[in-house]
Amino acid sequence: MNMQAPTAAMSVPAPAQPKTLEDTGLTHVMMRDILLKTVFRKSIETTREIAATIRLTTGLTQQLIDQARDAGMMQATGTMHAGASAEMGFQLTDAGKARAADALAQSEYYGAMPVPLEIYKRQVAAQSVKNVRLTRQKLLRSMGHLILPDGLLDQLGPAVGSGRSVLLYGPPGNGKSSIAEGIRAALGDNIWIPQAIEYAGQVITLYDPIVHTAVDMGSDGDALRKTNHRVDTRYILCQRPTVMTGGELTLDMLDLNYNPTARTYQASLQLKSSGGVFIVDDLGRQAEPPQKIINRWIVPMEMGYDILSLQSGEKFEVPFDTLVVFSTNYHPNKIFDQAALRRIFFKVLIDGPTQGQFLKIFAMVAKKKKFELDEASLVHLLKRKYPEIDNVYANFHGQFLIDQMIAACNFEGLPYRMTPELVDRAWANLFVEEIDIVH
């Protein structure tokens, strides 16, 4: 687990540490089986090691060990392990190993005790993305590196602050993906993510290090300890998550992922994004048509919950607390019907830059890459090349053209300086001339 410094002070209520085994919300049988499977798979012996792995306090863990000993499934090793506490070691008996094997045959899940779905729902409500108070200053800070069209923040601010769905549309190469990432960064604070949740005796792994960035509690942890508020260690403090998908998105990614070999479940992508942002980039390039993808989101976006299914066919509700950002190069009227458009609360056009904005981007990229500009070459670009495409600018043009010119300079052994000849060479790679290819 990669621990990073928190990006903002912890502002959501921390889940309280269970004081009794009953407070965990789990059955004693489930906790016992996870304990036995964990000891069996991890070959750990001391109460402290076991507690750190199953994410309970040493006191509650010792209670589980004592119950397993009373049932003849664990026994003391008779060995005092080195350390300040000189802890006694414990191991599985033959009966405990047999029970662990039986439990593993039903589910390979072991490790952190899960959080029951009903308890997790309360934590989701307490740290809802809809509770984030987004200001113009926060949005500016997260997008200060972008050259944005006039008035864009006036549209984006209310859209993001509402926690409702947003559709960014417009011609390709104008920063829709960068803006979507900036939206996530603007949310800023941290939330609590359980390692796994439990429903109907089934464990669903939720924490995903690809989606969730764990943060060091730092002074926030000290503050909690000073107020005698102990945190439920089944949860991990994380930055608000971002799930970003593109053309690879398929509808089955929005359902539970069941591994038939391990007999375990992994949370759906939108469940992993709870409390954060789900970005559907390049909408229209997926195997499924855009209308079908939007239809899958209609109930979650309108009702605030999603419906998932277990292998048994049993359906159940999970919270849907996600800011959904759709990004497409197509005009909405060409890919959605009016019913779908009504359900996307905000539609924001991300158009190409003006000539002045393009020049700002071009100069910013050149400065960053230490590429010297030249007035005559810029005039050549603006007066000779752009009229060929009706003076239509795109935000990606500056980066693309300068990278092309730098590549040519490296090949020719030339200094990083703009010339009309380099502009022509770069421009030739920006667009492909339409010709008939004879096969």
Side-chain angles (χ1 to χ4, degrees), residues 42-57:
K42 301 286 286 185
S43 298
I44 48 181
E45 293 188 355
T46 68
T47 302
R48 192 179 302 274
E49 290 174 323
I50 298 169
T53 307
I54 66 174
R55 298 291 185 123
L56 292 181
T57 64

Side-chain angles (χ1 to χ4, degrees), residues 78-100:
T79 303
M80 299 294 285
H81 287 260
S85 57
E87 290 183 83
M88 175 67 71
F90 299 95
Q91 63 186 14
L92 301 183
T93 62
D94 289 341
K97 291 175 183 176
R99 178 57 208 164

Side-chain angles (χ1 to χ4, degrees), residues 34-35 37-38 42 50 53-55 109-114:
I34 290 176
L35 169 75
K37 288 189 289 184
T38 302
K42 301 286 286 185
I50 298 169
T53 307
I54 66 174
R55 298 291 185 123
Y109 181 84
Y110 62 90
M113 292 290 175

